[in-house]
Amino acid sequence: MDHSGHGMDMNMDLPPFTLGRGLEFSFDAFFLFGSLIALALYGWAVLRLRRRGDSWPLGRTVAFVVGVLTVMLVMCTKLNDYGMVMFSVHMVQHMVISMITPILVLLGAPVTLALRALPPAARGHKGPRELLLMLLHSRYMKVITHPAFTIPMFIASLYALYFTPLFDFLMESRTGHVAMMLHFLAVGLIFFWPIMGIDPGPHRPGYVMRMLELFAGMPFHAFFGIALMMASQPMIKTYANPPASLGIDPLLDQQWGGGIAWAFSEIPSVLVLIALVYQWYHSEQRAARRSDRAEERNGDKELEAYNSYLASLQARGQ
């Protein structure tokens, strides 16, 4: 197999994989600088709110920061190097950046933060805030966040990529590899965005529908993992002939990768389900408080009307 792609000269001499080796720093300009910029912009927005006296939940900040750090964990360490020649490590990268990262980033509500932090443009002009609002209300956004698009795209990112020559083509170059990882991240974000429901968006179903959307996509991840685990020969050309220095069996490595894909179909389901139940509970609490306040107001009006009626009867008696 030709290992002339991204980082392959170094990957050819990689020693057998251990977690310690995998977590060593490995420079990747695109994801390192992209992650640092994302953290800086989020931090700037939070500070802007604080300076004008507005609050921003600490939990959202923590979720966003941890979400961005998961990108750096799998893309700015030797996991990225090993992922070029070991399918199991690549699958860890894929699952984290397409399922764990989007959930944490979305729990950070970056769109809501941007809308609150960005200043409105002068009358008759369009600034970043106005452009963001236009994008949120655009027909394009309505299409890509609709379950008729997000669920098939979520599934196709597995089957149409790994079981066709497209994956091998993308793995031949650094640009292709970066594009593939960005695709995984984008697909995860648009799949979980309507389901998580914190940031505003064109598609905002009820909580039961959100759970149905979640469970509509997850079984296909499990089937994908099982297919890899049950295969009797390597199914992905890129990983069919790993460097001898790794000392691994490609079929066993593929089975490990399948097991990782299967396991990750369960982990995000639990995380999102917990978040949804939490959001649902607080939504019901807010609705109950609004209802109580409305009843108090209406009750006062009814009492006033009754007192007026008694006063009118008393006046007639006189």
Side-chain angles (χ1 to χ4, degrees):
M1 176 183 172
D2 177 17
H3 292 292
S4 59
H6 155 47
M8 285 302 169
D9 292 339
M10 179 173 57
N11 289 335
M12 286 293 288
D13 299 323
L14 284 173
F17 178 81
T18 64
L19 185 59
R21 288 169 180 160
L23 294 179
E24 292 175 7
F25 177 75
S26 181
F27 182 74
D28 183 283
F30 183 89
F31 285 101
L32 178 61
F33 293 136
S35 297
L36 293 176
I37 291 169
L39 292 173
L41 289 174
Y42 195 94
W44 169 83
V46 172
L47 286 176
R48 184 176 173 84
L49 291 187
R50 293 272 171 84
R51 282 173 182 165
R52 71 184 189 207
D54 293 341
S55 63
W56 182 254
L58 177 63
R60 291 184 180 179
T61 302
V62 171
F64 185 86
V65 170
V66 174
V68 174
L69 290 178
T70 60
V71 175
M72 299 175 71
L73 174 68
V74 296
M75 299 307 302
C76 301
T77 64
K78 289 286 183 70
L79 290 176
N80 196 30
D81 299 323
Y82 278 101
M84 298 300 295
V85 287
M86 290 181 65
F87 181 68
S88 56
V89 178
H90 166 83
M91 193 52 63
V92 170
Q93 290 181 281
H94 178 175
M95 294 296 116
V96 168
I97 209 168
S98 70
M99 302 182 84
I100 302 299
T101 302
I103 292 170
L104 291 169
V105 166
L106 290 167
L107 286 174
V111 176
T112 301
L113 178 62
L115 291 173
R116 288 183 59 187
L118 289 171
R123 186 182 296 273
H125 294 79
K126 291 179 181 176
R129 188 177 187 277
E130 289 70 26
L131 293 174
L132 178 57
L133 283 170
M134 286 174 60
L135 177 63
L136 288 173
H137 293 100
S138 67
R139 182 175 296 179
Y140 167 77
M141 198 59 69
K142 289 178 181 178
V143 171
I144 69 165
T145 59
H146 195 278
F149 179 86
T150 60
I151 294 173
M153 179 60 70
F154 193 67
I155 296 166
S157 291
L158 290 174
Y159 295 89
L161 182 64
Y162 287 98
F163 296 158
T164 69
L166 180 59
F167 181 85
D168 296 320
F169 171 75
L170 292 172
M171 290 291 284
E172 287 176 358
S173 68
R174 169 178 164 72
T175 303
H177 185 236
V178 168
M180 178 167 57
M181 289 300 171
L182 281 177
H183 169 78
F184 292 152
L185 178 59
V187 168
L189 286 170
I190 64 169
F191 178 76
F192 289 109
W193 182 13
I195 295 172
M196 301 305 296
I198 296 179
D199 279 329
H203 176 62
R204 187 65 71 237
Y207 287 98
V208 174
M209 280 303 299
R210 293 184 196 183
M211 292 181 186
L212 290 175
E213 287 182 32
L214 172 66
F215 291 120
M218 290 306 158
F220 291 94
H221 261 265
F223 297 152
F224 172 76
I226 291 168
L228 292 170
M229 292 168 69
M230 299 287 287
S232 58
Q233 61 183 16
M235 299 176 68
I236 298 155
K237 182 181 174 184
T238 297
Y239 298 103
N241 299 293
S245 63
L246 292 173
I248 59 172
D249 173 12
L251 182 58
L252 182 60
D253 184 52
Q254 178 176 282
Q255 291 169 350
W256 272 99
I260 290 164
W262 175 78
F264 267 90
S265 68
E266 305 300 324
I267 296 170
S269 299
V270 174
L271 290 176
V272 175
L273 201 56
I274 291 171
L276 280 179
V277 170
Y278 179 81
Q279 291 174 22
W280 196 351
Y281 171 76
H282 280 271
S283 175
E284 293 295 319
Q285 292 288 97
R286 287 193 298 270
R289 286 195 293 269
R290 284 195 298 269
S291 177
D292 290 343
R293 287 195 295 267
E295 285 182 11
E296 288 174 8
R297 289 194 298 269
N298 292 335
D300 291 342
K301 290 177 182 177
E302 289 173 4
L303 182 60
E304 289 173 8
Y306 182 66
N307 288 336
S308 298
Y309 173 68
L310 291 179
S312 67
L313 290 178
Q314 187 177 4
R316 287 177 195 170
Q318 293 174 351

